[in-house]
Amino acid sequence: MSTTVPAGYKWWSGGKSPFNVSYGKLMMWYFLMSDTFTFGAFLISYATIRMSQNYWPDPNHVFNTFPGFGHTNLPLAFVSLMTFILIMSSVTMVLAVNAGHHMNRRGVEKWMAWTIVGGLAFLGCQAWEWTHLITGEHAVLINGKIQEISTTVKGNPWGPAVAGLMHDGHQVNTPGPIAFGGFFFGITGFHGFHVFSGVVINLIMLIKTKLGHFEQRGHYEMIEKAGLYWHFVDLVWVFVFLCFYLV
Amino acid sequence: MEQHAAVASPEITFPHEPASSTKRVWKVFWILLIITMVELSFGFTIYFIHKNPNFNEHLVLAFKGTIVILSLAKAYYIVSVFMHLGDEIRNMIMTIVLPLLLFIWFIAAFLWDGYAWRNLKNKFNRDLPQQTQPQPEGRKPGALD
């Protein structure tokens, strides 16, 4: 795929991009690089706080439910589905970019529509997971009393179990580190906001494709730029998935 | 006859030839899917190791480290093939990749700091309200502080 450049070609002599890309695409890359540092800072601060605690909740214990399966213990199942949805929508996005390279308007429309469907499906999954965590109450021993608390930025029911203490047939825990909810909702929320804005951008690109704007322009580079953003969202999820659910 | 897209900008000297087939995309899709499956199987392995109260901490760390390396491999494939960075010219790739090397220092320094903070708290501030959990048995107080 790579283009052969003649030896001694003067990239820096002016009048052209020394990186052989348009200004818009280059700036999209630099924006994404700066966003990488934003997400990196969030994830590293999460890791630092987690390292500073003697106890941290086990993700296989916190995220073990699947919609429609009640209290069945299914660790990693739902987040696997979310990961699969995002990888799939990344693939449909590349296919849209590829269709754009071939000036195939119908192809771009089809694959952009599927990418939007994937993004909305992911957002739906995240909405369910948040609702489940925020509304799901668990018995916790606080100041000698058993209280029912849910996972929020102010409360964490996922501390170590109190040996031998049961309440309504459920194990009673001590409160876990408060920072857990803040980091989880903050980082997955920031990522979810990126997914949401990505869906809006993709929707605008789909409408512009349907209106024939890119066909008149003679190229589909805007689809490529939107695609870079969308793949970045998938890329961030790889690391959110790693830091919150796997390790 | 299929028509090809025009060059997007006069700044571009050598336009990329569009890929004739989507074979490469599907190949990377399968690679990403298989890596994710392996990561999940390691995640389940850790889950079952944790069921044993006297589990081997180093074994869990080894699995977690492997998952981190696999995630970096996924990141490489997404950036290089899906985002087509691998097809750009070398100078452009380097302006994106080299600044990311700062992360090596960020991760090492901050994780080390978090670990030292835990040890300091365990050693000196046993009654701090955020210190909800006693330190586990066998952890040497004062290491790395």
Side-chain angles (χ1 to χ4, degrees):
Chain A
M1 276 233 5
S2 64
T3 322
T4 43
V5 181
Y9 184 81
K10 290 198 166 30
W11 282 110
W12 299 90
S13 60
K16 59 183 176 274
S17 163
F19 293 151
N20 202 36
V21 284
S22 69
Y23 177 78
K25 204 162 150 184
L26 188 66
M27 291 305 124
M28 178 53 101
W29 268 108
Y30 289 153
F31 162 67
L32 294 181
M33 188 180 69
S34 69
D35 223 13
T36 307
F37 281 103
T38 310
F39 272 108
F42 284 158
L43 287 173
I44 290 168
S45 61
Y46 157 71
T48 307
I49 297 300
R50 188 172 159 168
M51 283 296 275
S52 77
Q53 300 289 324
N54 284 326
Y55 176 89
W56 198 261
D58 181 357
N60 286 320
H61 190 53
V62 182
F63 311 104
N64 68 343
T65 43
F66 200 93
F69 284 83
H71 289 291
T72 320
N73 180 30
L74 297 165
L76 285 170
F78 192 54
V79 75
S80 312
L81 175 71
M82 289 168 77
T83 305
F84 179 72
I85 289 172
L86 220 51
I87 291 180
M88 237 14 252
S89 81
S90 225
V91 171
T92 56
M93 186 78 229
V94 201
L95 294 174
V97 170
N98 187 64
H101 284 154
H102 293 279
M103 293 301 286
N104 174 1
R105 180 169 150 183
R106 293 282 300 278
V108 174
E109 285 172 8
K110 179 176 84 178
W111 293 119
M112 285 307 282
W114 279 115
T115 308
I116 292 164
V117 168
L120 291 174
F122 181 86
L123 286 173
C125 289
Q126 202 167 42
W128 182 85
E129 184 166 57
W130 275 40
T131 311
H132 183 77
L133 280 175
I134 295 170
T135 57
E137 296 193 323
H138 303 270
V140 179
L141 189 67
I142 302 169
N143 298 329
K145 267 190 257 164
I146 293 176
Q147 293 181 30
E148 298 267 330
I149 64 165
S150 60
T151 316
T152 59
V153 292
K154 287 180 181 162
N156 176 4
W158 307 101
V162 185
L165 186 57
M166 303 291 280
H167 176 72
D168 285 347
H170 292 286
Q171 173 68 52
V172 176
N173 293 335
T174 50
I178 294 294
F180 178 80
F183 277 115
F184 177 78
F185 291 117
I187 295 176
T188 61
F190 197 62
H191 174 263
F193 183 65
H194 274 71
V195 177
F196 174 74
S197 52
V199 167
V200 171
I201 292 168
N202 286 346
L203 208 57
I204 294 169
M205 291 307 136
L206 176 63
I207 293 167
K208 283 177 78 71
T209 310
K210 282 208 183 274
L211 293 174
H213 287 182
F214 302 131
E215 206 161 63
Q216 286 161 25
R217 212 177 277 180
H219 60 82
Y220 281 82
E221 209 203 35
M222 282 307 286
I223 300 288
E224 286 181 47
K225 288 180 222 166
L228 285 178
Y229 186 72
W230 190 253
H231 293 310
F232 175 75
V233 165
D234 183 28
L235 183 66
V236 170
W237 180 254
V238 168
F239 290 98
V240 172
F241 176 55
L242 171 75
C243 295
F244 279 101
Y245 299 91
L246 282 175
V247 302
Chain B
M1 267 304 280
E2 192 186 40
Q3 51 171 339
H4 284 277
V7 176
S9 154
E11 298 165 294
I12 296 171
T13 317
F14 300 99
H16 294 292
E17 273 303 306
S20 53
S21 79
T22 52
K23 241 174 88 180
R24 191 156 162 247
V25 172
W26 287 108
K27 194 182 135 198
V28 170
F29 164 72
W30 286 112
I31 291 172
L32 290 177
L33 195 65
I34 289 165
I35 294 179
T36 308
M37 301 284 229
V38 173
E39 285 182 342
L40 286 170
S41 68
F42 283 2
F44 279 113
T45 311
I46 292 172
Y47 174 69
F48 287 112
I49 293 174
H50 274 167
K51 288 202 162 181
N52 178 357
N54 306 313
F55 64 88
N56 183 344
E57 260 187 75
H58 293 287
L59 188 65
V60 171
L61 268 183
F63 272 115
K64 288 182 174 178
T66 316
I67 295 174
V68 172
I69 293 166
L70 289 173
S71 290
L72 290 173
K74 273 163 73 173
Y76 166 79
Y77 279 110
I78 292 172
V79 174
S80 173
V81 179
F82 282 4
M83 297 168 91
H84 295 285
L85 188 63
D87 301 330
E88 304 292 356
I89 69 171
R90 195 182 156 80
N91 283 350
M92 151 103 190
I93 297 174
M94 287 306 150
T95 62
I96 306 292
V97 173
L98 290 182
L100 298 183
L101 293 179
L102 281 169
F103 273 121
I104 297 172
W105 176 79
F106 286 155
I107 291 168
F110 281 89
L111 262 61
W112 192 332
D113 198 45
Y115 189 71
W117 186 12
R118 172 166 73 192
N119 287 325
L120 287 170
K121 284 194 293 189
N122 285 335
K123 199 173 173 185
F124 298 112
N125 283 324
R126 286 165 195 279
D127 301 327
L128 270 186
Q130 68 265 36
Q131 193 65 35
T132 52
Q133 305 309 325
Q135 63 170 318
E137 291 290 318
R139 215 181 274 286
K140 204 171 74 192
L144 275 173
D145 63 358

